[in-house]
Amino acid sequence: MMTTRQRYYWLAAGVLLYALYYLFPIDYRLLWQPDETRYAEISREMLATREWIVPHFLGLRYFEKPIAGYWINALGQWLLGDSNFSVRFGAIFSTTLSGLLGCWLAWSLWRDRLISLLSGIIFLSAFLVYGVGTYAVLDPMITLWMTLAMCSFWWGAQATTPGGKAGGYLLLGVACGLGVMTKGFLALAVPVIGVLPWVIARRRWGEVLRWGWLSVVVAVLVVLPWGMAIARKEPDFWHYFFWVEHIQRFAMSNAQHKAPFWYYLPVFILGSLPWLGLLPGALRLGWKEQHNDRGALYLLGWIALPLLFFSIAKGKLVTYILPCFVPLALLMARYVVVVVRAHTPRALKMLRANGYINVLVGMVGSIAALALAPVFYSRPPLWDVPELYKCFLALLAFMVWGLMGWLATRNVARRWPLAVLCPLGVALVFGLAVPERIMASKTPQQLIALTREPLQESRYVLSNSVGVAAGLAWELKRSDILLYSSRGELQYGLSYPDSEGRFVTAHEFAGWLAQHRQEGRISLVLRIDNEAQLESLPVPDNRYILGRMALLEYLPQ
């Protein structure tokens, strides 16, 4: 058992690490398109228009997701203003709460403060969790609701009084309802299939049938007010959202983001860094303890069934399996505490192996940073010569990873926690070390900062990229950015009659320009592969090029 002094030490270390990972480096990372700029702009428009029912993106109807995630993002911008951190507030807030719920569940299972605290630390420092949890997408929020659902079911299942069971199943319904309002009906997949192995093995069907109706009723009541409101304002929403965003995306042959069945295997493995060495032992110990009442089978089902479900689905994204990392963190924490307390050479071997894995990651990253440096790489380098300092920062970050891994192999029984410091260097320097050629392509804020005055004075602003258009709208605080040449994900919103004039084809542009140029300055912001793409366009009065982004300025005539 931990002493009071040890508990305070671990708590203080956890708070400091949390600040270094999740607070300090977030604001100086520019927003990446298309995801971060999209969610930033949708929530900004929600605050500006006070339209809390129907999501709009660049002033157009946007029915790809329900409303709750945008509410959370809008809350971040309302509380913290216009900043990169405020855009990512929803993801960070949700990831943090998911980690705290994991700590609660670990305490409920094992009544061990060290396992409980380590569960949160391992979860928040896992590579996939950190990467997605500090990136402005909706998956951290759906992970929060699914974690709350799984914790609520466990609470209800372990309760010995009718009031306790009612409370657990009621909260389960709230979590499922909020999940549906954040990302749709697939939010129900994790809690429904995740509990199946435990329910079947423990023969708890009768209890689930007796109390499950309460969860269903509560979930319906959570969704119903907004569901009826948007059906009244936009009758086509539910048809589009269910058919296109659910059936087509996940099951049909033309699903988005198609990937093979094994896609999530490397994601799961690499996402477990810097704790990858604990993965085999954690799963083995969980399987060994599946027959006891401490919930090992519950955690294994929570990992395996959603992972299988998303592997079968046609459309796949890295972020979909984020909810699986909460139970994985609990199993890893349980395993590492058992190993450390056993203190046998065989038991500590896996901890040492984890350290050597991190040494290897640090070495590979360092070698890659050196090999891609402009002084060694003969082809167009990842970093240009003026960016040697970025190459040095990347090298330093991976050297820290390797060094922490090596230190963790020395006196492994005491130093194994140093693994949590391995990704810290990457987390701190990522926003500063990204090569300019990538920044110029993925972060429109750079070009906007250099050309803000002509952009702000433009009567019309057009872009051939939805992500870039979203960045322009968020930075300039205007939702009337026009789309040029490509409709992208806004094809459905542009199909409405009241959206006429919001899209200009490449063929129409010269005539459109001649007609509208007399109204004021026109700015065309493009993502390009090379400058030759600009030759077919009317000659601009001014031209600015930054990497793969270009601004063509047409003055009034």
Side-chain angles (χ1 to χ4, degrees):
M1 297 294 292
M2 286 194 299
T3 65
T4 301
R5 182 177 180 180
Q6 287 174 322
R7 286 200 299 270
Y8 284 130
Y9 168 79
W10 278 99
L11 184 61
V15 171
L16 177 60
L17 283 173
Y18 178 83
L20 290 175
Y21 273 108
Y22 282 87
L23 301 180
F24 178 69
I26 304 303
D27 198 49
Y28 61 75
R29 298 179 190 170
L30 298 181
L31 299 181
W32 286 54
Q33 63 92 13
D35 294 321
E36 292 197 300
T37 54
R38 176 202 302 127
Y39 293 122
E41 175 57 16
I42 292 173
S43 297
R44 186 200 68 80
E45 290 182 32
M46 182 176 286
L47 286 171
T49 63
R50 298 297 189 264
E51 171 56 79
W52 307 106
I53 303 299
V54 182
H56 284 80
F57 182 21
L58 299 180
L60 305 169
R61 295 167 181 83
Y62 190 72
F63 294 166
E64 287 205 0
K65 299 292 186 295
I67 202 72
Y70 307 138
W71 286 345
I72 296 174
N73 283 335
L75 175 65
Q77 294 190 40
W78 179 68
L79 290 174
L80 303 172
D82 299 325
S83 67
N84 297 337
F85 182 85
S86 71
V87 172
R88 296 171 175 132
F89 166 82
I92 295 173
F93 177 74
S94 301
T95 303
T96 304
L97 288 186
S98 296
L100 293 176
L101 285 170
C103 293
W104 174 86
L105 183 57
W107 173 254
S108 177
L109 292 174
W110 296 295
R111 300 292 172 178
D112 189 304
R113 289 188 176 89
L114 182 56
I115 295 177
S116 177
L117 183 57
L118 280 176
S119 297
I121 291 175
I122 291 175
F123 173 73
L124 291 173
S125 59
F127 204 51
L128 180 67
V129 174
Y130 180 72
V132 180
T134 56
Y135 187 70
V137 288
L138 301 182
D139 298 273
M141 301 172 201
I142 199 64
T143 297
L144 169 61
W145 305 133
M146 297 306 93
T147 304
L148 178 59
M150 297 298 288
C151 290
S152 302
F153 182 85
W154 183 258
W155 171 27
Q158 300 304 307
T160 56
T161 64
K165 289 193 176 295
Y169 279 90
L170 188 150
L171 192 55
L172 170 62
V174 172
C176 290
L178 290 172
V180 170
M181 289 184 63
T182 300
K183 211 169 182 182
F185 301 108
L186 286 169
L188 303 176
V190 171
V192 170
I193 67 177
V195 303
L196 280 179
W198 185 86
V199 169
I200 294 172
R202 296 293 181 264
R203 300 179 180 179
R204 303 290 285 269
W205 283 111
E207 177 184 314
V208 171
L209 293 175
R210 283 195 305 273
W211 292 96
W213 64 268
L214 179 60
S215 299
V216 174
V217 170
V218 171
V220 170
L221 291 176
V222 169
V223 178
L224 193 60
W226 172 76
M228 292 180 64
I230 196 170
R232 185 168 57 250
K233 297 186 75 170
E234 296 291 346
D236 195 43
F237 173 84
W238 287 110
H239 170 265
Y240 174 86
F241 181 65
F242 178 76
W243 182 255
V244 176
E245 292 302 316
H246 285 75
I247 305 301
Q248 182 174 314
R249 174 169 288 194
F250 287 89
M252 297 180 69
S253 59
N254 60 342
Q256 292 180 328
H257 315 299
K258 291 173 63 176
F261 177 82
W262 50 263
Y263 174 82
Y264 286 116
L265 180 60
V267 174
F268 192 72
I269 291 173
L270 295 177
S272 301
L273 290 169
W275 310 101
L276 178 56
L278 308 182
L279 181 59
L283 296 178
R284 185 170 59 248
L285 181 61
W287 184 258
K288 182 179 178 181
E289 295 183 340
Q290 63 174 306
H291 299 296
N292 63 30
D293 294 327
R294 289 189 170 183
L297 179 62
Y298 189 73
L299 298 177
L300 288 173
W302 184 354
I303 296 171
L305 269 296
L307 194 60
L308 178 62
F309 172 80
F310 288 116
S311 296
I312 293 173
K314 296 286 186 181
K316 297 179 178 68
L317 284 176
V318 168
T319 55
Y320 290 169
I321 64 168
L322 188 61
C324 300
F325 278 77
V326 178
L328 180 63
L330 269 67
L331 289 174
M332 285 182 168
R334 162 77 173 161
Y335 171 71
V336 76
V337 171
V338 169
V339 165
V340 170
R341 288 174 179 168
H343 203 75
T344 63
R346 184 177 180 181
L348 297 177
K349 187 179 297 184
M350 193 61 73
L351 291 179
R352 186 170 286 108
N354 187 63
Y356 285 126
I357 290 173
N358 286 315
V359 170
L360 179 62
V361 171
M363 291 176 60
V364 170
S366 299
I367 292 172
L370 285 173
L372 295 173
V375 293
F376 297 114
Y377 199 60
S378 57
R379 297 178 182 179
L382 188 62
W383 291 279
D384 293 324
V385 173
E387 298 180 282
L388 273 176
Y389 75 96
K390 293 187 176 184
C391 182
F392 173 74
L393 288 175
L395 175 63
L396 182 63
F398 281 107
M399 289 179 64
V400 168
W401 194 312
L403 176 62
M404 293 299 106
W406 180 80
L407 291 176
T409 64
R410 311 293 97 183
N411 191 6
V412 66
R414 293 177 59 86
R415 294 185 178 179
W416 64 266
L418 289 176
V420 74
L421 297 177
C422 288
L424 183 59
V426 175
L428 291 175
V429 308
F430 177 78
L432 304 174
V434 177
E436 190 66 30
R437 63 180 67 245
I438 296 177
M439 294 289 286
S441 173
K442 301 297 291 184
T443 58
Q445 285 174 295
Q446 278 195 317
L447 179 65
I448 297 169
L450 294 172
T451 59
R452 181 173 294 275
E453 183 177 350
L455 286 170
Q456 287 179 330
E457 295 176 358
S458 295
R459 172 64 180 85
Y460 294 101
V461 179
L462 303 88
S463 178
N464 66 341
S465 164
V466 174
V468 174
L472 289 163
W474 190 77
E475 284 286 343
L476 302 176
K477 304 299 179 279
R478 53 186 293 184
S479 59
D480 62 342
I481 309 299
L482 306 184
L483 292 177
Y484 162 77
S485 180
S486 174
R487 293 179 174 87
E489 64 196 80
L490 289 173
Q491 181 169 350
Y492 180 79
L494 287 166
S495 67
Y496 279 79
D498 58 5
S499 300
E500 186 178 356
R502 297 298 308 278
F503 174 70
V504 181
T505 67
H507 177 71
E508 298 169 339
F509 180 68
W512 181 93
L513 179 64
Q515 179 182 353
H516 292 82
R517 198 170 184 177
Q518 57 188 331
E519 299 176 32
R521 182 180 305 191
I522 295 173
S523 293
L524 178 61
V525 183
L526 303 172
R527 282 196 71 206
I528 58 174
D529 295 321
N530 53 68
E531 294 187 31
Q533 291 179 244
L534 306 178
E535 295 177 1
S536 61
L537 292 165
V539 178
D541 295 289
N542 295 302
R543 186 172 79 166
Y544 307 88
I545 296 178
L546 181 64
R548 292 182 58 191
M549 289 192 190
L551 166 61
L552 307 184
E553 185 184 0
Y554 298 93
L555 299 179
Q557 286 184 358

PDB file of all heavy atoms in Angstrom, residues 185 237-248:
ATOM      1  N   PHE A 185     -25.766   7.093 -34.043  1.00  0.00           N
ATOM      2  CA  PHE A 185     -26.199   5.825 -33.480  1.00  0.00           C
ATOM      3  C   PHE A 185     -25.055   4.843 -33.263  1.00  0.00           C
ATOM      4  O   PHE A 185     -25.164   3.930 -32.446  1.00  0.00           O
ATOM      5  CB  PHE A 185     -27.262   5.194 -34.389  1.00  0.00           C
ATOM      6  CG  PHE A 185     -28.468   6.064 -34.566  1.00  0.00           C
ATOM      7  CD1 PHE A 185     -28.708   6.711 -35.768  1.00  0.00           C
ATOM      8  CD2 PHE A 185     -29.343   6.267 -33.515  1.00  0.00           C
ATOM      9  CE1 PHE A 185     -29.824   7.526 -35.926  1.00  0.00           C
ATOM     10  CE2 PHE A 185     -30.453   7.086 -33.657  1.00  0.00           C
ATOM     11  CZ  PHE A 185     -30.693   7.714 -34.869  1.00  0.00           C
ATOM     12  N   PHE A 237     -32.902  16.173 -42.268  1.00  0.00           N
ATOM     13  CA  PHE A 237     -31.698  15.870 -41.497  1.00  0.00           C
ATOM     14  C   PHE A 237     -31.575  14.383 -41.186  1.00  0.00           C
ATOM     15  O   PHE A 237     -30.537  13.762 -41.440  1.00  0.00           O
ATOM     16  CB  PHE A 237     -31.676  16.669 -40.185  1.00  0.00           C
ATOM     17  CG  PHE A 237     -30.537  16.265 -39.273  1.00  0.00           C
ATOM     18  CD1 PHE A 237     -29.274  16.800 -39.445  1.00  0.00           C
ATOM     19  CD2 PHE A 237     -30.724  15.329 -38.261  1.00  0.00           C
ATOM     20  CE1 PHE A 237     -28.220  16.418 -38.626  1.00  0.00           C
ATOM     21  CE2 PHE A 237     -29.683  14.943 -37.433  1.00  0.00           C
ATOM     22  CZ  PHE A 237     -28.428  15.491 -37.621  1.00  0.00           C
ATOM     23  N   TRP A 238     -32.606  13.794 -40.605  1.00  0.00           N
ATOM     24  CA  TRP A 238     -32.485  12.412 -40.125  1.00  0.00           C
ATOM     25  C   TRP A 238     -32.324  11.430 -41.275  1.00  0.00           C
ATOM     26  O   TRP A 238     -31.608  10.424 -41.149  1.00  0.00           O
ATOM     27  CB  TRP A 238     -33.678  12.044 -39.253  1.00  0.00           C
ATOM     28  CG  TRP A 238     -33.619  12.701 -37.913  1.00  0.00           C
ATOM     29  CD1 TRP A 238     -34.415  13.696 -37.442  1.00  0.00           C
ATOM     30  CD2 TRP A 238     -32.667  12.421 -36.873  1.00  0.00           C
ATOM     31  NE1 TRP A 238     -34.029  14.061 -36.178  1.00  0.00           N
ATOM     32  CE2 TRP A 238     -32.958  13.299 -35.802  1.00  0.00           C
ATOM     33  CE3 TRP A 238     -31.602  11.542 -36.750  1.00  0.00           C
ATOM     34  CZ2 TRP A 238     -32.236  13.290 -34.611  1.00  0.00           C
ATOM     35  CZ3 TRP A 238     -30.876  11.539 -35.569  1.00  0.00           C
ATOM     36  CH2 TRP A 238     -31.188  12.404 -34.517  1.00  0.00           C
ATOM     37  N   HIS A 239     -32.970  11.712 -42.412  1.00  0.00           N
ATOM     38  CA  HIS A 239     -32.794  10.832 -43.568  1.00  0.00           C
ATOM     39  C   HIS A 239     -31.337  10.853 -44.039  1.00  0.00           C
ATOM     40  O   HIS A 239     -30.704   9.803 -44.238  1.00  0.00           O
ATOM     41  CB  HIS A 239     -33.721  11.252 -44.715  1.00  0.00           C
ATOM     42  CG  HIS A 239     -33.425  10.540 -46.009  1.00  0.00           C
ATOM     43  ND1 HIS A 239     -32.619  11.087 -46.982  1.00  0.00           N
ATOM     44  CD2 HIS A 239     -33.805   9.321 -46.470  1.00  0.00           C
ATOM     45  CE1 HIS A 239     -32.524  10.238 -47.994  1.00  0.00           C
ATOM     46  NE2 HIS A 239     -33.243   9.169 -47.709  1.00  0.00           N
ATOM     47  N   TYR A 240     -30.778  12.041 -44.211  1.00  0.00           N
ATOM     48  CA  TYR A 240     -29.397  12.156 -44.670  1.00  0.00           C
ATOM     49  C   TYR A 240     -28.434  11.573 -43.635  1.00  0.00           C
ATOM     50  O   TYR A 240     -27.527  10.803 -43.965  1.00  0.00           O
ATOM     51  CB  TYR A 240     -29.045  13.620 -44.933  1.00  0.00           C
ATOM     52  CG  TYR A 240     -27.588  13.831 -45.274  1.00  0.00           C
ATOM     53  CD1 TYR A 240     -27.139  13.703 -46.584  1.00  0.00           C
ATOM     54  CD2 TYR A 240     -26.659  14.136 -44.279  1.00  0.00           C
ATOM     55  CE1 TYR A 240     -25.796  13.872 -46.899  1.00  0.00           C
ATOM     56  CE2 TYR A 240     -25.314  14.308 -44.585  1.00  0.00           C
ATOM     57  CZ  TYR A 240     -24.890  14.178 -45.894  1.00  0.00           C
ATOM     58  OH  TYR A 240     -23.562  14.337 -46.187  1.00  0.00           O
ATOM     59  N   PHE A 241     -28.646  11.932 -42.379  1.00  0.00           N
ATOM     60  CA  PHE A 241     -27.700  11.529 -41.351  1.00  0.00           C
ATOM     61  C   PHE A 241     -27.677  10.013 -41.174  1.00  0.00           C
ATOM     62  O   PHE A 241     -26.614   9.412 -41.034  1.00  0.00           O
ATOM     63  CB  PHE A 241     -28.063  12.205 -40.027  1.00  0.00           C
ATOM     64  CG  PHE A 241     -27.128  11.868 -38.909  1.00  0.00           C
ATOM     65  CD1 PHE A 241     -25.807  12.265 -38.950  1.00  0.00           C
ATOM     66  CD2 PHE A 241     -27.559  11.133 -37.812  1.00  0.00           C
ATOM     67  CE1 PHE A 241     -24.929  11.953 -37.927  1.00  0.00           C
ATOM     68  CE2 PHE A 241     -26.698  10.810 -36.799  1.00  0.00           C
ATOM     69  CZ  PHE A 241     -25.383  11.216 -36.852  1.00  0.00           C
ATOM     70  N   PHE A 242     -28.849   9.375 -41.194  1.00  0.00           N
ATOM     71  CA  PHE A 242     -28.883   7.922 -40.982  1.00  0.00           C
ATOM     72  C   PHE A 242     -28.356   7.172 -42.199  1.00  0.00           C
ATOM     73  O   PHE A 242     -27.509   6.283 -42.071  1.00  0.00           O
ATOM     74  CB  PHE A 242     -30.316   7.472 -40.673  1.00  0.00           C
ATOM     75  CG  PHE A 242     -30.437   5.984 -40.493  1.00  0.00           C
ATOM     76  CD1 PHE A 242     -30.002   5.381 -39.324  1.00  0.00           C
ATOM     77  CD2 PHE A 242     -30.957   5.190 -41.503  1.00  0.00           C
ATOM     78  CE1 PHE A 242     -30.096   4.015 -39.164  1.00  0.00           C
ATOM     79  CE2 PHE A 242     -31.051   3.823 -41.348  1.00  0.00           C
ATOM     80  CZ  PHE A 242     -30.624   3.233 -40.166  1.00  0.00           C
ATOM     81  N   TRP A 243     -28.828   7.538 -43.403  1.00  0.00           N
ATOM     82  CA  TRP A 243     -28.476   6.751 -44.574  1.00  0.00           C
ATOM     83  C   TRP A 243     -27.037   6.990 -45.033  1.00  0.00           C
ATOM     84  O   TRP A 243     -26.261   6.059 -45.218  1.00  0.00           O
ATOM     85  CB  TRP A 243     -29.451   7.046 -45.722  1.00  0.00           C
ATOM     86  CG  TRP A 243     -29.152   6.221 -46.932  1.00  0.00           C
ATOM     87  CD1 TRP A 243     -28.563   6.621 -48.089  1.00  0.00           C
ATOM     88  CD2 TRP A 243     -29.386   4.817 -47.068  1.00  0.00           C
ATOM     89  NE1 TRP A 243     -28.423   5.570 -48.951  1.00  0.00           N
ATOM     90  CE2 TRP A 243     -28.919   4.439 -48.353  1.00  0.00           C
ATOM     91  CE3 TRP A 243     -29.943   3.844 -46.240  1.00  0.00           C
ATOM     92  CZ2 TRP A 243     -28.987   3.135 -48.818  1.00  0.00           C
ATOM     93  CZ3 TRP A 243     -30.017   2.541 -46.718  1.00  0.00           C
ATOM     94  CH2 TRP A 243     -29.553   2.203 -47.981  1.00  0.00           C
ATOM     95  N   VAL A 244     -26.667   8.254 -45.215  1.00  0.00           N
ATOM     96  CA  VAL A 244     -25.341   8.567 -45.756  1.00  0.00           C
ATOM     97  C   VAL A 244     -24.260   8.405 -44.701  1.00  0.00           C
ATOM     98  O   VAL A 244     -23.222   7.778 -44.934  1.00  0.00           O
ATOM     99  CB  VAL A 244     -25.319   9.998 -46.338  1.00  0.00           C
ATOM    100  CG1 VAL A 244     -23.912  10.365 -46.811  1.00  0.00           C
ATOM    101  CG2 VAL A 244     -26.311  10.107 -47.479  1.00  0.00           C
ATOM    102  N   GLU A 245     -24.494   8.961 -43.511  1.00  0.00           N
ATOM    103  CA  GLU A 245     -23.438   8.992 -42.496  1.00  0.00           C
ATOM    104  C   GLU A 245     -23.314   7.696 -41.686  1.00  0.00           C
ATOM    105  O   GLU A 245     -22.344   7.524 -40.961  1.00  0.00           O
ATOM    106  CB  GLU A 245     -23.685  10.159 -41.536  1.00  0.00           C
ATOM    107  CG  GLU A 245     -23.505  11.510 -42.196  1.00  0.00           C
ATOM    108  CD  GLU A 245     -22.115  11.687 -42.777  1.00  0.00           C
ATOM    109  OE1 GLU A 245     -21.141  11.334 -42.097  1.00  0.00           O
ATOM    110  OE2 GLU A 245     -22.012  12.159 -43.919  1.00  0.00           O
ATOM    111  N   HIS A 246     -24.294   6.807 -41.782  1.00  0.00           N
ATOM    112  CA  HIS A 246     -24.207   5.536 -41.058  1.00  0.00           C
ATOM    113  C   HIS A 246     -24.085   4.358 -42.017  1.00  0.00           C
ATOM    114  O   HIS A 246     -23.042   3.699 -42.069  1.00  0.00           O
ATOM    115  CB  HIS A 246     -25.432   5.360 -40.157  1.00  0.00           C
ATOM    116  CG  HIS A 246     -25.392   6.204 -38.929  1.00  0.00           C
ATOM    117  ND1 HIS A 246     -25.630   7.553 -38.963  1.00  0.00           N
ATOM    118  CD2 HIS A 246     -25.139   5.895 -37.636  1.00  0.00           C
ATOM    119  CE1 HIS A 246     -25.517   8.051 -37.734  1.00  0.00           C
ATOM    120  NE2 HIS A 246     -25.219   7.064 -36.916  1.00  0.00           N
ATOM    121  N   ILE A 247     -25.128   4.113 -42.793  1.00  0.00           N
ATOM    122  CA  ILE A 247     -25.147   2.938 -43.655  1.00  0.00           C
ATOM    123  C   ILE A 247     -24.054   3.017 -44.709  1.00  0.00           C
ATOM    124  O   ILE A 247     -23.244   2.097 -44.870  1.00  0.00           O
ATOM    125  CB  ILE A 247     -26.525   2.777 -44.325  1.00  0.00           C
ATOM    126  CG1 ILE A 247     -27.626   2.735 -43.267  1.00  0.00           C
ATOM    127  CG2 ILE A 247     -26.545   1.529 -45.191  1.00  0.00           C
ATOM    128  CD1 ILE A 247     -27.476   1.620 -42.263  1.00  0.00           C
ATOM    129  N   GLN A 248     -24.001   4.142 -45.425  1.00  0.00           N
ATOM    130  CA  GLN A 248     -23.039   4.254 -46.509  1.00  0.00           C
ATOM    131  C   GLN A 248     -21.608   4.292 -46.009  1.00  0.00           C
ATOM    132  O   GLN A 248     -20.729   3.631 -46.550  1.00  0.00           O
ATOM    133  CB  GLN A 248     -23.332   5.503 -47.334  1.00  0.00           C
ATOM    134  CG  GLN A 248     -22.403   5.686 -48.534  1.00  0.00           C
ATOM    135  CD  GLN A 248     -22.824   6.849 -49.409  1.00  0.00           C
ATOM    136  OE1 GLN A 248     -23.989   6.998 -49.736  1.00  0.00           O
ATOM    137  NE2 GLN A 248     -21.872   7.690 -49.761  1.00  0.00           N
TER     138      GLN A 248
END
